[in-house]
Amino acid sequence: MQKIRVRAHAKINLYLDVVGKREDGYHNLETIFHSIGLHDDVIIRKRDTKEITVRCEHPAVPSDASNLAYRAAQRLSDAVGGIAGVSIEIQKRIPVAAGLAGGSANAAAVLHGVNELFGLGFSQETLMRFGAQLGADVPFCLHGGAALGTGIGDELTRLPALSDLPLLLLNPGIEISTAAVFKMLNFSLTKPENAGIIIRTLMEKVDVLSISEGLYNLLEVPVFAEYPEIATLKTELSTQAGCFGALMSGSGATLFAVMQDSESARRSESYFKNRVSFCTTTVTSPVGVYIKD
Ligand code: ATP
């Protein structure tokens, strides 16, 4: 086998609470991740030389060693004392710096794909440990489906995945740095009374209406304070016909809505399409990375 094509799925957070600040500067979270159908394609080819190269046409994605996909290939190469080089081509569809873990998904796809392409034989657990060294969301992107994330989001407990739940995603075109959002956090914030309900609901039964009512993301507070136009967009999204609930994903700025059915998702997509920089319908996905051929 000379090349492998891996689908790298984006994630949303159905619930995100920050439960404390750690001495190393990171924050401890309680979050529920879910993979979604929206994905990048990552094509990995063996090279004759030992070099790792990355190519992506998106202008905001680096092609050097700072690309998370490059770092993932380097991590595996280091673990086995050097492998033959690889060229990595990223066909980007996931908006960048948008709270959808695009970079982390690419890194997960490279860990999974290079492991298969070279028959390295690392277990999923070991790949997830390597992933955690690259970024807090990488282990979930390898895990896929639905999971409760604790620690910095890298300690995962599997939850039942929601099958083909219709979603609408909107991004107003504001790139937000995750680090900047955490800096703006104010720990005296009080939580709404239903905070935590979604975790219990998902653990006990898969009830879409209760899940939609329990959608919660503490990071909306600092992000909406800085960018009130995102809050306005969320209100408009929430009042669309067939919208069960809406939330900002991760540190934003992407908003998602859980929709009653694919027809109402498509109707709202046409409503927003010409007004935001990115708008698409998708569904929840049971997988995070997937080998296509
Ligand atoms: P998270 O929710 O994990 O913080 P995000 O979806 O908000 O992620 P990314 O799309 O992963 O953000 O991009 C964050 C930054 O990482 C970008 O500004 C980009 O310069 C850099 N980056 C490095 N590698 C990649 C990659 N493979 N794809 C996208 N961005 C990358």
Side-chain angles (χ1 to χ4, degrees):
M1 194 164 45
Q2 283 304 307
K3 75 163 187 180
I4 197 162
R5 177 186 282 261
V6 190
R7 281 206 319 226
H9 287 266
K11 60 83 185 162
I12 52 173
N13 302 81
L14 298 170
Y15 178 88
L16 195 161
D17 192 17
V18 182
V19 293
K21 191 166 180 187
R22 301 156 32 129
E23 287 195 346
D24 60 9
Y26 284 94
H27 291 81
N28 280 324
L29 309 179
E30 218 166 64
T31 186
I32 293 182
F33 295 107
H34 210 305
S35 302
I36 59 174
L38 175 69
H39 63 275
D40 293 340
D41 282 331
V42 179
I43 301 130
I44 307 161
R45 295 181 177 86
K46 287 183 179 169
R47 291 174 64 94
D48 296 334
T49 65
K50 286 227 160 193
E51 217 185 347
I52 299 168
T53 61
V54 178
R55 188 155 54 92
C56 178
E57 288 191 352
H58 193 297
V61 177
S63 295
D64 59 12
S66 68
N67 193 301
L68 272 181
Y70 180 104
R71 293 179 52 212
Q74 187 68 60
R75 182 66 190 87
L76 280 182
S77 180
D78 292 348
V80 295
I83 47 172
V86 286
S87 67
I88 300 164
E89 179 189 340
I90 301 167
Q91 295 175 349
K92 210 23 88 204
R93 286 189 211 90
I94 306 171
V96 176
L100 298 173
S104 303
N106 294 166
V110 168
L111 289 173
H112 187 57
V114 168
N115 192 44
E116 290 297 314
L117 187 62
F118 290 91
L120 302 181
F122 287 115
S123 66
Q124 170 86 347
E125 202 184 2
T126 304
L127 293 180
M128 282 167 66
R129 191 160 49 76
F130 292 157
Q133 295 161 1
L134 304 171
D137 290 344
V138 183
F140 173 73
C141 291
L142 275 163
H143 178 286
L148 171 67
T150 52
I152 58 170
D154 59 336
E155 293 163 26
L156 300 172
T157 309
R158 184 172 292 280
L159 293 173
L162 303 166
S163 108
D164 289 332
L165 192 65
L167 301 169
L168 179 70
L169 302 184
L170 292 187
N171 188 291
I174 302 168
E175 287 193 7
I176 297 185
S177 138
T178 306
V181 172
F182 277 101
K183 273 206 196 104
M184 291 189 269
L185 253 190
N186 172 358
F187 273 98
S188 62
L189 292 169
T190 46
K191 292 176 208 167
E193 287 207 346
N194 66 352
I197 186 179
I198 187 171
I199 296 182
R200 291 195 295 278
T201 310
L202 256 172
M203 286 184 159
E204 288 157 15
K205 56 184 169 36
V206 179
D207 171 354
V208 172
L209 273 180
S210 307
I211 288 166
S212 306
E213 277 166 18
L215 294 174
Y216 173 74
N217 182 353
L218 177 84
L219 300 181
E220 284 185 340
V221 180
V223 172
F224 290 180
E226 186 77 15
Y227 305 102
E229 63 272 36
I230 306 177
T232 308
L233 195 62
K234 182 186 167 189
T235 307
E236 206 175 345
L237 181 57
S238 310
T239 49
Q240 289 286 301
C243 176
F244 283 159
L247 193 72
M248 185 181 83
S249 182
S251 54
T254 305
L255 299 170
F256 67 90
V258 176
M259 302 299 292
Q260 186 175 5
D261 48 43
S262 50
E263 285 71 39
S264 42
R266 271 197 296 273
R267 263 198 309 275
S268 295
E269 183 188 14
S270 339
Y271 175 82
F272 284 109
K273 207 160 56 199
N274 297 322
R275 299 177 37 208
V276 292
S277 74
F278 178 84
C279 177
T280 191
T281 58
T282 188
V283 289
T284 47
S285 161
V287 293
V289 288
Y290 180 80
I291 293 176
K292 276 178 108 167
D293 46 46

